[in-house]
Amino acid sequence: MVVRGAPAIAIAAALSLAVEVNDHDFTGTPVEAASFVSKKLEYLVSSRPTAVNLSDAATKLQNLVSRTAETAKDAKSIFQVFIEAAEAMLVDDVADNKAIGLHGAEFLQRQLGSSRNISVLTHCNTGSLATAGYGTALGVIRALHSGGVLEKAFCTETRPFNQGSRLTAFELVHDKIPATLIADSAAAALMNNGQVQAVIVGADRIAANGDTANKIGTYNLSISAKHHGVQFYVAAPVTSIDLSLPSGKQIVIEERSPKELLNSEGGLGKQVAASGISVWNPAFDVTPANLITAIITEKGVITKSDPNGSFDIKGFIERAK
């Protein structure tokens, strides 16, 4: 958890390997250099199976070095191409996040009748500390704020690791965005009081039908939002979309250490739970597509294609190319 947030995980993985190969004394052929990079990327992907951005970036980088090896004269040129591509990911992610923020802010204003008093709830951390900069769901909040239409942002603690209270609250205070922290269990009451018009969350993996894996507790929020008539949005780059998975049932969900629940401070502090108690601590849950109002990407907003509540994500991506 030193690096967390799907986009940041992918970028950190690529840049860490770029650091390794930058001064690597490699004596093999270009093909062997490409193989070296590919195997390292495979190892990095094994670290975080839920976040698709990492595997997507690895596949693209593997294809890049493989193609380069066909015409390269030495191993150093393979490494240089990889380094340049990894550095480009950093720049591209910030631009993509700002586009997500712009599309999301404009769409929410249209959906909510151009209100100048929009209050939203977000979960976990999806800002500059989870991406290369600006953020996805938090990027939408930043765009609403800069546009003068955000009344308040509410953020959950996001137990058990408290990404909301530790990270999102920090970013909101740092940017002087009007914000309030709530307990995870207070979200339904907040919606029942009519204090928020929308929920905006990020995504670690989005299946072809729109089912979305995100930080544990996201599913709870979507159910509560549906019950209270609150719009529920997912904000993520298209690299978070995995068209190879028909639905969220195929998404692998990581389980975290029992200590995160047994001990205070997300597992870093003293034990507070009874010794001997069993623990189930999934890091993510899957929100069904029928509970999601729309999916906000850097290419635009994916809306429901029919009254039954299904997304044509594949068609959207093909049209956006």
Side-chain angles (χ1 to χ4, degrees):
M1 296 295 284
V2 173
V3 178
R4 30 74 47 208
I9 288 169
I11 293 166
L15 290 175
S16 67
L17 182 52
V19 170
E20 179 177 352
V21 302
N22 184 50
D23 294 317
H24 190 51
D25 186 16
F26 193 86
T27 58
T29 67
V31 172
E32 290 171 335
S35 177
F36 173 86
V37 170
S38 291
K39 288 178 180 178
K40 290 283 186 177
L41 288 169
E42 287 174 6
Y43 175 72
L44 287 166
V45 169
S46 69
S47 67
R48 297 300 298 267
T50 303
V52 70
N53 305 63
L54 177 55
S55 59
D56 179 78
T59 298
K60 291 176 180 176
L61 291 168
Q62 285 171 330
N63 291 337
L64 174 64
V65 296
S66 178
R67 291 194 307 270
T68 304
E70 295 174 1
T71 56
K73 295 181 179 180
D74 53 40
K76 186 177 181 179
S77 59
I78 300 296
F79 294 152
Q80 187 58 40
V81 165
F82 176 83
I83 291 169
E84 291 173 0
E87 290 176 339
M89 288 174 60
L90 194 65
V91 177
D92 292 345
D93 188 61
V94 175
D96 288 346
N97 292 338
K98 289 184 176 180
I100 288 171
L102 178 63
H103 289 308
E106 291 178 347
F107 189 82
L108 258 70
Q109 288 179 75
R110 290 198 299 270
Q111 291 293 101
L112 297 173
S114 299
S115 171
R116 299 192 66 82
N117 299 293
I118 299 174
S119 289
V120 300
L121 170 65
T122 192
H123 187 57
C124 197
N125 175 255
T126 59
S128 295
L129 299 175
T131 63
Y134 200 72
T136 54
L138 198 51
V140 176
I141 291 173
R142 283 189 164 104
L144 288 169
H145 176 62
S146 64
V149 298
L150 180 73
E151 181 173 339
K152 182 177 287 188
F154 291 89
C155 61
T156 62
E157 292 177 290
T158 319
R159 289 190 50 77
F161 211 63
N162 300 316
Q163 293 97 324
S165 58
R166 293 187 299 108
L167 306 178
T168 299
F170 171 82
E171 292 199 47
L172 291 168
V173 170
H174 179 273
D175 285 12
K176 295 181 173 57
I177 296 174
T180 297
L181 174 68
I182 67 168
D184 292 1
S185 52
L190 185 76
M191 296 181 201
N192 190 51
N193 288 343
Q195 294 192 60
V196 292
Q197 290 77 51
V199 178
I200 312 173
V201 300
D204 284 81
R205 190 180 294 249
I206 301 171
N209 70 338
D211 292 351
T212 298
N214 192 51
K215 182 55 55 187
I216 191 72
T218 302
Y219 182 31
N220 301 35
L221 293 176
S222 69
I223 293 172
S224 186
K226 185 74 171 181
H227 176 76
H228 292 97
V230 174
Q231 296 177 19
F232 188 92
Y233 294 95
V234 171
V238 293
T239 53
S240 294
I241 298 171
D242 188 351
L243 294 177
S244 71
L245 301 182
S247 73
K249 293 180 180 179
Q250 292 80 37
I251 298 176
V252 177
I253 300 297
E254 301 171 38
E255 290 195 25
R256 302 280 306 155
S257 168
K259 281 190 174 182
E260 291 184 353
L261 291 180
L262 296 173
N263 294 29
S264 64
E265 299 178 32
L268 302 176
K270 295 181 179 180
Q271 182 171 329
V272 293
S275 297
I277 188 70
S278 297
V279 171
W280 182 54
N281 185 25
F284 307 94
D285 55 28
V286 177
T287 298
N290 67 301
L291 297 178
I292 299 171
T293 304
I295 300 170
I296 305 163
T297 78
E298 74 275 23
K299 303 291 186 183
V301 180
I302 308 174
T303 55
K304 298 288 177 68
S305 57
D306 61 64
N308 295 323
S310 62
F311 291 103
D312 180 17
I313 295 180
K314 184 177 180 181
F316 173 86
I317 292 177
E318 289 177 347
R319 291 189 296 272
K321 289 180 178 178

